[in-house]
Amino acid sequence: MHYKIQQRKENTKFMNDSIILLQAKLNEAKSKTAINADLAKLQAKLDKLKVQAYVDPQTLSALTLQLEEVLNQKIVLHEITIDKETVVKEADQIGRQAGDSLNQGLQDSLQNSKKLSINWSAFPLKEKIASSLKDLKEVNRLLIEISKTAQNVSKADLSALGASAFSTAGKYGQKASGYLTGVQEMSLAGYDNAEELAELGLLSQTAGNLDAGLARDYLLAMDAAYQLKGNVEALTTVLDGQTQVTAKNALSMRDLAEATKLTASQAASSDISIEESTAALSAMLSATRQGGNEIAQAWRGILMNLQQIEGQVGDGEILDPEALAKSEQACANLGVALKEVKNGVISLRDPMTILEELSAAYTSLEASDTRRTNLVDAIGGNDHGDQLQALLENWTLYEKMLEDYASGSGTAMEMAMQSANGWEGALNRLSNTFTKVVNNFVDSDFVVGVTN
């Protein structure tokens, strides 16, 4: 009898435990359903909120881990990529209202399950708004300056420019104030298409990792030297070609841009195309691994010698008649003439043709032949012999650079988008959008300073 009573108690306990377990499972499933429903509601609120803020990666990762543990599934919030082993790449449309809603919704859904402790103070909206107001002040100042210098610009034009600055700059992962600075500089330089050139400046900065000053001077130097008259399509072709050359040959676009800026005028006056100059500069950069400034000084000296131009090379070296005569004789000793007679008139020959002939003659000589040394000393001068020698010994590399340049269509934008989608570019885009949203809250008229 005692045994039967004990067995009945155990059976009853087993049934009770089973019922409790079943209820727990049902509650868990119900909780998951409720959580997913709350997340869906939250998403709808996020889509309407249109407020962006920087999300602290550690806090967001911790929250995500808690959710994943409860739901036993991967959690991906709208436009937020979570990578627990690296970083949170980008956060979009998260604000105080969303935070309060998510916190309360999850707490309600999980009241019979695991509790979440979420610290929403990690979302620094106050600091973000203060920063945005500072950005807006700078944007407004630049718009006022542009209104003073630009010709025939109405208040409506300025308002449209201010509104578009955020999206234009954000496309390249840059700040709106940087774009407007470019507009101001191009306007002061006398260009009617200042906005297009300013955007091209952003493309140059992002694709080549250039600072704003170098990007501006580089574009202006090419435009002036080759008389492109602000033709954005022509300048983009150059940028594409040079970006392709640097990408395919592991070169620094900064070095090439610096060298191009310093030599564009000399190359153009020597009737050398921008692609030929690019290939020559790049071949020397690749072979010597020197900086853009050193290569630029060498290229200027080489061209001045071949074109028999007196003057200062740029590093203190002076080319006088005696030095130029020495260069001409050194070339003649290799069977290469600097001048030719056309229609009874003596004229200078094409520098790139001269260099190609010099390369063939130079590399055919024994290393110990004094004619090699004399040529390098005469044309290379005191400091640029290594660069000249590198170009003459690597003429096939020069020809490869020409081919790379010709295949560069669209390369600059491709490289720019890779950079713009990185961490820094994403933060700049986030900041631009948040600043624009704050502006909408602050005042309905974007250019309040101008209109007043």
Side-chain angles (χ1 to χ4, degrees):
M1 179 67 69
H2 177 73
Y3 171 75
K4 290 181 179 181
I5 293 174
Q6 180 65 30
Q7 186 178 27
R8 188 179 299 112
K9 288 182 178 180
E10 291 178 358
N11 290 339
T12 301
K13 183 177 183 301
F14 175 77
M15 290 178 64
N16 290 337
D17 290 344
S18 298
I19 291 172
I20 292 172
L21 180 60
L22 178 59
Q23 289 177 336
K25 289 294 184 182
L26 291 173
N27 287 337
E28 181 182 1
K30 182 178 179 181
S31 296
K32 289 183 178 181
T33 301
I35 291 169
N36 287 326
D38 284 335
L39 287 173
K41 292 178 182 177
L42 171 63
Q43 190 61 68
K45 291 182 180 181
L46 288 172
D47 290 337
K48 294 179 181 179
L49 190 56
K50 303 300 182 185
V51 174
Q52 298 186 354
Y54 173 74
V55 181
D56 178 72
Q58 293 183 348
T59 300
L60 189 56
S61 295
L63 169 60
T64 304
L65 288 173
Q66 292 181 71
L67 289 174
E68 290 177 343
E69 182 181 357
V70 171
L71 300 176
N72 192 28
Q73 65 184 53
K74 183 72 173 179
I75 299 297
V76 179
L77 297 180
H78 181 60
E79 300 226 304
I80 300 177
T81 302
I82 306 298
D83 185 345
K84 290 179 286 186
E85 296 181 356
T86 54
V87 296
V88 178
K89 294 181 180 178
E90 183 174 354
D92 187 55
Q93 297 181 328
I94 297 292
R96 188 180 301 278
Q97 180 181 345
D100 293 341
S101 175
L102 177 60
N103 190 18
Q104 186 59 50
L106 289 177
Q107 291 289 358
D108 292 343
S109 297
L110 297 172
Q111 58 183 346
N112 293 321
S113 183
K114 299 182 179 180
K115 298 293 184 180
L116 292 177
S117 176
I118 305 172
N119 179 18
W120 292 104
S121 63
F123 295 78
L125 284 182
K126 180 179 178 181
E127 292 79 3
K128 198 65 181 175
I129 290 173
S131 176
S132 294
L133 290 174
K134 183 179 179 181
D135 289 344
L136 283 172
K137 182 179 179 181
E138 176 64 11
V139 166
N140 191 63
R141 183 192 70 79
L142 289 166
L143 288 171
I144 293 174
E145 292 300 317
I146 291 171
S147 72
K148 294 177 181 177
T149 57
Q151 300 295 324
N152 302 319
V153 177
S154 66
K155 293 177 181 178
D157 292 333
L158 285 172
S159 181
L161 174 61
S164 66
F166 293 98
S167 57
T168 301
K171 176 181 177 181
Y172 302 99
Q174 302 287 347
K175 286 294 192 73
S177 56
Y179 166 69
L180 290 176
T181 298
V183 173
Q184 181 188 24
E185 291 171 344
M186 292 303 178
S187 179
L188 288 172
Y191 291 99
D192 294 331
N193 59 338
E195 293 176 41
E196 292 179 322
L197 290 171
E199 183 173 352
L200 185 59
L202 293 184
L203 176 60
S204 303
Q205 292 177 55
T206 311
N209 194 25
L210 309 180
D211 62 63
L214 176 56
R216 177 198 63 232
D217 294 343
Y218 156 72
L219 292 174
L220 291 177
M222 287 192 298
D223 185 65
Y226 289 93
Q227 300 180 10
L228 300 179
K229 299 180 179 179
N231 187 313
V232 173
E233 183 178 354
L235 288 168
T236 301
T237 298
V238 176
L239 181 60
D240 279 339
Q242 293 198 336
T243 303
Q244 177 81 328
V245 168
T246 56
K248 280 187 166 292
N249 298 277
L251 299 177
S252 165
M253 185 60 192
R254 291 185 185 182
D255 285 337
L256 182 55
E258 179 71 21
T260 300
K261 178 189 74 173
L262 295 173
T263 61
S265 178
Q266 184 65 58
S269 64
S270 301
D271 292 327
I272 296 177
S273 67
I274 187 63
E275 51 263 45
E276 289 174 327
S277 186
T278 296
L281 290 169
S282 299
M284 288 186 285
L285 283 168
S286 178
T288 65
R289 291 298 165 182
Q290 295 175 337
N293 184 67
E294 293 173 283
I295 296 300
Q297 300 303 335
W299 186 227
R300 277 176 48 84
I302 291 170
L303 293 180
M304 290 177 68
N305 271 290
L306 298 183
Q307 292 287 284
Q308 296 287 281
I309 299 173
E310 296 182 31
Q312 185 171 331
V313 174
D315 56 359
E317 183 178 355
I318 302 295
L319 292 180
D320 54 22
E322 182 180 352
L324 295 176
K326 182 180 177 182
S327 298
E328 185 174 14
Q329 185 59 52
C331 291
N333 291 340
L334 271 69
V336 178
L338 298 186
K339 302 171 184 176
E340 61 184 353
V341 178
K342 284 185 177 181
N343 300 322
V345 178
I346 298 177
S347 59
L348 292 165
R349 300 178 65 211
D350 172 52
M352 301 314 299
T353 301
I354 294 173
L355 285 169
E356 184 176 12
E357 293 176 1
L358 285 175
S359 174
Y362 181 88
T363 54
S364 68
L365 298 175
E366 295 291 335
S368 58
D369 196 309
T370 56
R371 288 174 292 178
R372 287 171 58 110
T373 305
N374 291 338
L375 179 72
V376 171
D377 289 344
I379 298 180
N382 298 327
D383 302 314
H384 306 135
D386 291 344
Q387 295 91 333
L388 174 63
Q389 185 176 355
L391 181 58
L392 296 179
E393 292 181 347
N394 294 276
W395 196 254
T396 55
L397 182 57
Y398 161 81
E399 294 173 330
K400 176 186 180 300
M401 301 290 190
L402 280 177
E403 294 177 359
D404 291 339
Y405 182 99
S407 64
S409 179
T411 302
M413 183 60 73
E414 181 182 347
M415 297 296 290
M417 291 302 97
Q418 291 179 13
S419 298
N421 291 327
W423 178 245
E424 183 176 356
L427 289 179
N428 282 336
R429 282 199 306 278
L430 192 63
S431 177
N432 280 341
T433 307
F434 190 82
T435 300
K436 188 174 181 180
V437 170
V438 169
N439 171 76
N440 292 334
F441 287 133
V442 171
D443 198 298
S444 59
D445 189 343
F446 191 87
V447 284
V448 61
V450 176
T451 55
N452 286 342

